[in-house]
């Protein structure tokens, strides 16, 4: 019977298990990093009770989310190469066969489809293009567990072959047999030269690494300034009005008029204690500056010099407890019109209700009349167009 294991044991040229295992290992590393950094980003935005996220170093979220997007992008060419190497084996007869083989076939189908879905939708999210009706964040989070689970099942089934394939030279032609030994007839101490006109496995592996590296350079520039000249595929350049890109404009948020209202007041409340501050009163308070990045979930980031009032000064203004979380409410209604700043970050002197960016008054698209800017925090939680602050 022509089983999958028997087929895998044979040397099949470029489709050798030795090459497949090495490409799969690179793909697995990328997916693992992408999954872990994605979980971290989700917990920061929707923190479970046990979760703690520090306010320092200020570049930590910028780095982890950059890694999340970059490893996700690199996984795309790695997945394509691996599928090209293994796709004939996906249709080896019997397609279903024994119950064990049926389970393996099903796990591969789930693995391939869920991984393609996850990487494709993640890539489109970096460009803020959503040609679907489901809510991306929830779906992306749920699908990540399906991808990881299917990978673990696949590894468990293939672990003996993977171990033997990685334990022998990539160019070897010796069979990978079920006993873990190499027959004397095929044992070799040197790597055979590839046939004329045939690309070697090592060349394919090096080419795969090169394409992955190119993908890094093509996207990393949207968060790494000195690579911006080469980021030809990055949806964001890292540049924008006042030196910072804009994800959501005041027009898109529907706050053009309310943000420019001459009667604007920022309300700060702590239980029964409430203060209302005009923009001029905010400007009259002690002013501070913080050099902080805006780091967005789409993978881009840019650092700005923000100026304004420390959050902890506003908390103290209404007699708030510095060990309590602080809620920030925007003029914009909707999903991201409210965010909660953990107590440790609210008390950090770098956390500001910002009035200026790079020495200039905030433009309305950057959050005029005032916005939150705090260290080590996703851009989607740096609430713009503040109308109310509540000490919880």
């Amino acid at each position: 019977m022509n089983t999958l294991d028997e087929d895998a044991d044979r040397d099949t040229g470029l489709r050798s298990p030795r090459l497949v295992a090495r490409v799969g290992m690179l793909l697995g590393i990328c997916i693992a990093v992408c999954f872990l950094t994605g979980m971290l980003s989700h917990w920061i935005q929707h923190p479970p009770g046990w979760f703690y996220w520090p306010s320092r170093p200020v570049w930590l979220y910028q780095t982890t989310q950059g890694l999340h997007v970059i490893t996700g992008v690199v996984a795309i060419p790695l997945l394509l190469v691996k599928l090209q190497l293994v796709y004939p084996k996906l249709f080896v007869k019997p397609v279903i066969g024994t119950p064990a083989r049926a389970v393996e076939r099903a796990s591969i189908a789930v693995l391939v489809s869920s991984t393609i879905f996850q990487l494709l939708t993640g890539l489109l999210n970096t460009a803020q293009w959503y040609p679907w009706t489901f809510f991306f964040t929830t779906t992306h989070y749920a699908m990540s567990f399906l991808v990881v689970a299917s990978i673990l099942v696949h590894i468990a089934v293939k672990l003996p072959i993977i171990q033997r394939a990685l334990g022998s030279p990539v160019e070897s032609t010796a069979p990978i047999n079920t006993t873990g030994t190499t027959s004397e007839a095929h044992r070799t101490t040197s790597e055979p030269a590839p046939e004329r006109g045939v690309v070697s496995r090592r060349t394919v592996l090096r080419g795969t690494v090169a394409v992955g590296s190119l993908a890094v350079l093509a996207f990393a520039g949207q968060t790494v300034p000195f690579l911006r000249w080469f980021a030809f595929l990055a949806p964001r350049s890292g540049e924008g009005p006042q030196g910072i890109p804009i994800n959501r404009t005041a027009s898109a948020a529907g706050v053009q008029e309310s943000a420019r209202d001459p009667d604007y007041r920022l309300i700060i409340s702590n239980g029964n204690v409430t203060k209302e501050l005009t923009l001029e009163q905010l400007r009259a308070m002690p002013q501070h500056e913080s050099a902080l990045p805006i780091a967005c979930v789409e993978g881009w980031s840019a650092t700005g010099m923000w100026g304004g009032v420390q959050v902890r000064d506003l908390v103290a203004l209404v007699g708030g407890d510095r060990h309590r979380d602080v809620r920030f409410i925007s003029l914009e209604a909707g999903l991201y019109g409210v965010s909660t700043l953990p107590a440790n970050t609210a008390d950090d002197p770098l956390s500001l209700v910002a009035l200026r960016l790079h020495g200039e008054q905030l433009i309305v698209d950057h959050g005029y009349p005032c916005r939150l800017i705090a260290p080590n925090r996703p851009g989607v939680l740096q609430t713009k167009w503040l109308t109310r602050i509540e000490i919880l």
Side-chain angles (χ1 to χ4, degrees):
M1 182 175 65
N2 185 15
T3 66
L4 190 64
D5 281 349
E6 289 170 348
D7 183 69
D9 291 342
R10 298 191 183 96
D11 181 86
T12 54
L14 289 182
R15 293 193 167 94
S16 165
R18 295 175 173 87
L19 180 56
V20 172
R22 285 164 170 82
V23 174
M25 181 179 65
L26 295 175
L27 178 59
I29 291 171
C30 284
I31 290 178
V33 173
C34 193
F35 174 74
L36 293 174
T37 52
M39 289 299 100
L40 187 60
S41 181
H42 182 83
W43 291 332
I44 294 169
Q45 295 180 59
H46 309 281
W50 53 265
F51 184 73
Y52 173 83
W53 184 244
S55 62
R56 308 289 182 97
V58 300
W59 45 261
L60 185 57
Y61 180 78
Q62 179 183 28
T63 301
T64 60
Q65 192 61 17
L67 280 173
H68 177 71
V69 171
I70 290 171
T71 52
V73 168
V74 173
I76 294 174
L78 294 180
L79 177 63
L80 293 175
V81 171
K82 182 165 184 183
L83 288 177
Q84 169 61 22
L85 292 174
V86 304
Y87 84 87
K89 297 179 182 178
L90 300 178
F91 305 101
V92 171
K93 294 182 179 180
V95 175
I96 302 299
T98 66
R101 183 171 173 79
V103 171
E104 182 194 34
R105 299 279 91 183
S107 70
I108 291 175
V110 172
L111 170 60
V112 173
S113 58
S114 62
T115 304
I116 290 175
F117 175 88
Q118 193 76 339
L119 294 179
L120 178 60
T121 55
L123 181 66
L124 295 181
N125 178 64
T126 66
Q128 293 188 298
W129 182 35
Y130 307 103
W132 51 72
T133 56
F134 56 82
F135 183 51
F136 169 78
T137 303
T138 303
T139 305
H140 196 65
Y141 175 72
M143 285 295 292
S144 65
F145 288 98
L146 185 59
V147 170
V148 171
S150 60
I151 288 175
L152 292 177
V153 171
H154 184 65
I155 291 175
V157 171
K158 293 294 188 182
L159 187 58
I161 294 175
I162 293 171
Q163 289 176 322
R164 293 193 291 272
L166 293 177
S168 59
V170 68
E171 297 289 5
S172 174
T173 58
I176 302 174
N177 57 48
T178 55
T179 64
T181 61
T182 302
S183 65
E184 291 298 330
H186 292 86
R187 193 180 299 276
T188 178
T189 57
S190 61
E191 297 178 1
E195 297 178 13
R196 180 175 297 180
V198 177
V199 176
S200 71
R201 298 172 195 163
R202 193 174 299 280
T203 299
V204 173
L205 185 59
R206 287 171 176 166
T208 301
V209 172
V211 171
S213 300
L214 182 62
V216 171
L217 294 174
F219 271 81
Q222 61 180 356
T223 195
V224 183
F226 67 85
L227 291 178
R228 284 178 184 164
W229 64 275
F230 196 80
F232 60 93
L233 291 180
R236 298 301 180 96
S237 66
E239 304 296 334
Q242 296 184 297
I244 301 290
I246 294 170
N247 256 18
R248 188 163 177 79
T249 64
S251 177
V255 298
Q256 285 273 22
E257 293 185 7
S258 56
R260 293 190 172 98
D261 186 346
D263 294 325
Y264 168 83
R265 299 290 189 274
L266 176 63
I267 301 171
I268 308 169
S269 70
N270 175 36
N272 295 326
V273 180
T274 299
K275 295 281 188 182
E276 293 189 10
L277 300 176
T278 66
L279 191 54
E280 290 305 316
Q281 288 173 320
L282 283 170
R283 290 170 178 160
M285 292 184 68
Q287 301 292 297
H288 301 268
E289 289 192 333
S290 298
L292 294 175
I294 284 283
C296 280
V297 293
E298 293 88 3
W300 65 264
S301 63
T303 298
M305 182 60 73
W306 308 87
V309 182
Q310 289 180 339
V311 171
R312 62 184 186 180
D313 284 351
L314 294 172
V315 170
L317 187 65
V318 291
D321 184 345
R322 59 187 296 181
H323 301 295
R324 303 295 295 270
D325 295 347
V326 181
R327 179 184 294 137
F328 292 81
I329 302 173
S330 173
L331 291 168
E332 177 189 11
L335 182 63
Y336 295 112
V338 178
S339 70
T340 299
L341 194 62
N344 66 301
T345 306
D347 197 48
D348 192 303
L350 294 179
S351 295
L352 303 178
V353 168
L355 307 171
R356 301 180 307 281
L357 175 56
H358 293 305
E360 301 175 350
Q361 175 181 279
L362 288 174
I363 62 173
V364 68
D365 285 339
H366 275 313
Y368 174 88
C370 62
R371 66 170 298 161
L372 171 65
I373 184 71
N376 206 20
R377 187 168 169 86
V380 73
L381 300 182
Q382 307 278 33
T383 309
K384 298 195 285 188
W385 310 297
L386 290 176
T387 183
R388 187 178 182 89
I389 300 174
E390 298 174 347
I391 290 78
L392 302 179

